[in-house]
Amino acid sequence: AAGVIQSPRHLIKEKRETATLKCYPIPRHDTVYWYQQGPGQDPQFLISFYEKMQSDKGSIPDRFSAQQFSDYHSELNMSSLELGDSALYFCASSSSGGVQETQYFGPGTRLLVL
Amino acid sequence: QKEVEQDPGPLSVPEGAIVSLNCTYSNSAFQYFMWYRQYSRKGPELLMYTYSSGNKEDGRFTAQVDKSSKYISLFIRDSQPSDSATYLCAMSAAGNQFYFGTGTSLTVIP
């Protein structure tokens, strides 16, 4: 079965640079969530989108923005990167027509800021 | 205080043992309870999903929810070395945001 796809899988940036992470949800899933997971930490919710509209907002820094496109894929844009942004960034998707509370996670993008 | 508390372990058991993983929570509005398994450098994989109180069984895995005690458990029977991973509990109210435990690291020794 198709899963959530994230790209790139690994990314190295320098401080103050920008990064764009992409997420392609499971087909027919209309809701996308972004999480940040630091080393040894649990995933921290950043932001979510339903039908291209922001549906919930967590601990997303002002330097980050995200959007969901008409094909339901989502992009997380990160600017003025800081060393502390180094983490695993997960995207998850769910279907409002199914069991919405079951979120399926992608493999993650590992971001390293030097 | 975190919304969800989970003992990080590490937990080490011999192959074939029964494993018990637990989480407690403080928000009585939580209705949806999930267990995820995460292998190193991989995304969390949904294992079990339970709505409200009760038990749910799937093969060697059993999830229990006790809303009166704000306590959830995951039991793994006949544990295998391939079960070695970090297990994350997650829960939510009727909305989008999930709250995760910190994860319990499990090693099953052959």
Side-chain angles (χ1 to χ4, degrees), chain A residues 5-111:
Chain A
I5 297 171
Q6 289 187 248
S7 68
R9 293 295 308 278
H10 303 273
L11 191 58
I12 299 176
K13 291 285 185 179
E14 296 196 357
K15 283 195 314 183
R16 293 180 287 278
E17 285 192 321
T18 62
T20 297
L21 310 185
K22 297 185 179 182
C23 169
Y24 298 86
I26 291 171
R28 291 180 293 282
H29 279 195
D30 50 19
T31 308
V32 170
Y33 314 78
W34 286 97
Y35 292 85
Q36 178 191 59
Q37 186 176 30
Q41 306 286 318
D42 55 299
Q44 294 295 313
F45 173 71
L46 294 177
I47 196 167
S48 63
F49 291 87
Y50 166 67
E51 285 290 345
K52 302 175 283 290
M53 299 286 289
Q54 180 181 310
S55 55
D56 201 1
K57 190 173 181 179
S59 54
I60 184 169
D62 292 340
R63 298 177 288 109
F64 295 5
S65 65
Q67 56 182 327
Q68 186 180 31
F69 295 86
S70 58
D71 63 352
Y72 297 107
H73 94 272
S74 178
E75 294 183 1
L76 177 66
N77 299 293
M78 311 161 71
S79 62
S80 302
L81 286 169
E82 301 174 357
L83 297 179
D85 296 329
S86 297
L88 261 175
Y89 290 84
F90 289 109
C91 168
S93 74
S94 69
S95 169
S96 60
V99 183
Q100 188 175 2
E101 303 307 323
T102 50
Q103 298 180 12
Y104 295 87
F105 282 76
T109 294
R110 184 171 292 277
L111 172 65

Side-chain angles (χ1 to χ4, degrees), chain B residues 4 23 25 30 32-34 72 89-93 97-99:
Chain B
V4 181
C23 289
Y25 62 96
F30 288 150
Y32 302 91
F33 304 91
M34 281 68 60
I72 70 170
C89 63
M91 47 197 81
S92 72
Q97 187 170 351
F98 271 29
Y99 294 87

